[in-house]
């Protein structure tokens, strides 16, 4: 145990930082733009791109068009294709470029008949802790037990759904080691059945009742919603936002609330909240607020979240349209609260909380490991 914990501790010192998944363009669109095809059987193409990354020393500087393209190739295949289709060289070499290269957005290929993956909490260390538990329970040798299955699903969900910097390098590489003994343990992400290989037109601004929705896991009685001027102006003078108390572990919560959110956001009962104002406690059936910005560069609103552990949010516009240097959702201490899940139609988010998440996540897992030593 001590030897393993020390190894993992050392690996965590290399815990990497990367762009937030929320800002990533769809891999299908990047494939069109950079003229490559996402084909899980094209191992030669994957290996050729890995060779290009090595030859061009993209691990040191990944800014050239060639580095950008070839990283997209291996990252899109790595994140989308079944483990058995990914050459071992890609599995081993992928993370040498994970820190410095730009990512695109794509989810694991849908497996017909498999259960839904759990929704991970991307703000804690549940993914890393799942890997530690798998090692403790000898899952690398036998992954058939319920304990191994549960922890493998959580590790897989954190890997596939969270930002690339949420899992430690040890957990990332450990997952690929676990994929062989755990090959029979399959689960699907909520959006994995979408046709992700088609680049669809961007969501039109103002098209439909809401442009963005996300699920948050919260643990504070009060939160702050922020709207900022960007390049001297607010994206809009006001924005309607609907909040629902929700189970953050439910994979279908966002989709199941869409009709109610549409009714509320298009209805006549949306409460107008002036800049600097407060939003009352969220009703069980949902609450709609029309947030009105002030004349200053920054506008904040206080939201009463007493007794709520999960919050489903539907916004008339992307919250990141109002981000300049501050995250749009924070707890009462000013800590950035990132969504643990986004709706099927949006992936846009914020990078403002990435460093905080990486630092707090590493510290917490280091503490738990030290307790084990």
């Amino acid at each position: 145990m001590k030897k393993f914990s020390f190894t993992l501790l050392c690996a965590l010192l290399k815990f990497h930082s990367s762009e937030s998944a929320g800002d990533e363009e769809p891999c299908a669109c990047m494939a069109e733009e950079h003229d490559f095809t996402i084909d899980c059987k094209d191992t030669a193409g994957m290996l050729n791109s890995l060779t290009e990354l090595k030859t061009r020393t993209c691990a040191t500087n990944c800014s050239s068009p060639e580095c950008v393209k070839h990283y997209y190739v291996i990252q899109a295949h790595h994140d989308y294709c079944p483990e058995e289709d990914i050459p071992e060289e890609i599995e081993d070499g992928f993370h040498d470029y994970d820190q410095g290269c730009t990512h695109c957005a794509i989810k694991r290929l849908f497996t017909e008949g498999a259960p839904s993956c759990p929704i991970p909490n991307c703000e804690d260390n549940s993914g890393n802790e799942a890997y530690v538990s798998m090692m403790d329970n000898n899952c690398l040798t036998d992954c058939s037990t319920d304990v191994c299955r549960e922890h493998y699903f959580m590790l897989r969900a954190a890997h596939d759904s969270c930002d690339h910097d949420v899992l430690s390098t040890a957990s990332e590489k450990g997952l690929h080691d676990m994929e062989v003994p755990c090959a029979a343990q399959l689960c699907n992400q909520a959006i994995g059945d979408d046709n992700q290989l088609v680049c669809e037109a961007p969501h039109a601004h103002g098209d439909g009742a809401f442009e963005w929705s996300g699920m948050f896991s919260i643990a504070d009685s009060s939160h702050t919603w922020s709207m900022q001027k960007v390049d001297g102006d607010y994206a809009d003078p006001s924005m309607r936002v609907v909040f629902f108390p929700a189970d953050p572990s439910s994979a279908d919560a966002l989709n199941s609330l869409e009709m109610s959110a549409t009714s509320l956001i298009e209805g006549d009962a949306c409460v107008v909240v002036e800049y600097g104002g407060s939003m009352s406690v969220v009703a069980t059936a949902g609450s709609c607020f029309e947030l009105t910005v002030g004349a200053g560069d920054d506008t904040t609103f206080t939201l009463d979240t007493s007794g709520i552990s999960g919050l489903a949010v539907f916004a008339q516009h992307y919250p990141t349209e109002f981000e300049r240097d501050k995250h749009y959702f924070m707890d009462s201490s000013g800590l950035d609260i990132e969504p643990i899940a986004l709706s099927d139609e949006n992936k846009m988010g914020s990078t403002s909380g990435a460093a905080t998440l990486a630092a707090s996540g590493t510290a917490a897992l280091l503490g738990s490991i030290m307790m084990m030593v």
Side-chain angles (χ1 to χ4, degrees), residues 194-253:
D194 287 349
N195 188 355
Q196 299 184 86
L197 303 186
V198 176
C199 178
E200 297 181 351
H203 188 76
H205 187 80
D207 181 22
F210 58 89
E211 292 185 349
W212 179 96
S213 62
M215 176 69 73
F216 296 83
S217 177
I218 59 177
D220 198 350
S221 59
S222 178
H223 287 76
T224 298
W225 191 274
S226 170
M227 299 170 72
Q228 296 183 300
K229 285 184 178 180
V230 179
D231 295 328
D233 293 298
Y234 286 102
D236 282 284
S238 66
M239 176 172 69
R240 289 193 171 193
V241 185
V242 174
F243 300 93
F244 294 91
D247 179 2
S249 66
S250 171
D252 298 322

Side-chain angles (χ1 to χ4, degrees), residues 18 49-60 62 67 71 74 93-103:
S18 64
S49 286
L50 182 61
T51 299
E52 291 287 341
L53 290 173
K54 292 178 179 178
T55 302
R56 298 176 185 277
T57 63
C58 299
T60 303
C62 199
C67 288
Y71 181 76
I74 67 167
F94 169 74
H95 298 289
D96 293 338
Y97 308 92
D98 195 31
Q99 185 174 4
C101 295
T102 302
H103 298 248

Side-chain angles (χ1 to χ4, degrees), residues 178-194:
M178 293 291 180
E179 284 174 330
V180 175
C182 299
Q185 310 288 24
L186 301 173
C187 65
N188 289 317
Q189 297 179 77
I191 64 171
D193 56 344
D194 287 349

Side-chain angles (χ1 to χ4, degrees), residues 57-96:
T57 63
C58 299
T60 303
N61 184 349
C62 199
S63 61
S64 72
E66 294 80 10
C67 288
V68 170
K69 171 184 176 177
H70 290 295
Y71 181 76
Y72 278 149
V73 171
I74 67 167
Q75 184 246 314
H77 287 86
H78 171 272
D79 289 358
Y80 177 74
C81 300
E83 187 271 338
E84 61 267 20
D85 291 337
I86 305 298
E88 187 173 349
E89 296 92 330
I90 300 292
E91 297 280 18
D92 293 338
F94 169 74
H95 298 289
D96 293 338

Side-chain angles (χ1 to χ4, degrees), residues 185-333:
Q185 310 288 24
L186 301 173
C187 65
N188 289 317
Q189 297 179 77
I191 64 171
D193 56 344
D194 287 349
N195 188 355
Q196 299 184 86
L197 303 186
V198 176
C199 178
E200 297 181 351
H203 188 76
H205 187 80
D207 181 22
F210 58 89
E211 292 185 349
W212 179 96
S213 62
M215 176 69 73
F216 296 83
S217 177
I218 59 177
D220 198 350
S221 59
S222 178
H223 287 76
T224 298
W225 191 274
S226 170
M227 299 170 72
Q228 296 183 300
K229 285 184 178 180
V230 179
D231 295 328
D233 293 298
Y234 286 102
D236 282 284
S238 66
M239 176 172 69
R240 289 193 171 193
V241 185
V242 174
F243 300 93
F244 294 91
D247 179 2
S249 66
S250 171
D252 298 322
L254 285 175
N255 290 337
S256 66
L257 291 169
E258 284 187 356
M259 291 185 64
S260 297
T262 298
S263 297
L264 287 169
I265 212 165
E266 292 182 339
D268 298 326
C270 204
V271 178
V272 175
V273 183
E274 299 294 339
Y275 63 94
S278 298
M279 295 173 273
S280 59
V281 65
V282 179
T284 303
S287 297
C288 179
F289 302 99
E290 184 170 342
L291 308 181
T292 304
V293 302
D297 290 343
D298 298 75
T299 301
T300 58
F301 307 88
T302 302
L303 175 65
D304 188 341
T305 51
S306 302
I308 298 175
S309 61
L311 196 65
V313 182
F314 294 79
Q316 195 173 20
H317 307 301
Y318 283 99
T320 49
E321 294 181 39
F322 298 85
E323 279 191 349
R324 184 182 66 253
D325 55 17
K326 184 187 295 184
H327 188 47
Y328 59 85
F329 193 50
M330 298 163 284
D331 67 11
S332 60
S333 70

